[in-house]
Amino acid sequence: MPVPKRRKSRANTHARRSQWKAEPVTLVKTIENGKTVYSLPHRAKVVTDSVGTELYMEYKGRKVADA
């Protein structure tokens, strides 16, 4: 594993770390049964029954996994 030969100065360390920025979460707005729902794109969602029990996961209207 590479190891730095010399110690980095505090200014260089902070300058490097300042390039890492958080990005806002991109949400997709969909309307289901008259309700507006915001969800993450390309993620499977959990389908629940009326009581709230998790049944399965679906993606693009297809069942992809059991919950």
Side-chain angles (χ1 to χ4, degrees):
M1 189 164 102
V3 178
K5 195 161 207 160
R6 294 194 186 107
R7 180 179 172 165
K8 277 186 161 273
S9 71
R10 188 181 258 175
N12 283 345
T13 303
H14 290 163
R16 186 184 72 250
R17 288 183 181 161
S18 70
Q19 301 305 313
W20 291 81
K21 295 175 181 64
E23 295 179 2
V25 178
T26 55
L27 296 175
V28 175
K29 179 180 175 183
T30 56
I31 298 172
E32 294 179 5
N33 302 330
K35 286 184 174 179
T36 304
V37 179
Y38 294 94
S39 60
L40 293 168
H42 300 291
R43 297 272 164 82
K45 70 174 188 174
V46 178
V47 177
T48 58
D49 60 2
S50 59
V51 180
T53 309
E54 297 178 353
L55 301 173
Y56 58 90
M57 297 181 81
E58 80 173 2
Y59 179 71
K60 292 188 178 179
R62 285 180 261 151
K63 181 179 173 182
V64 292
D66 293 323

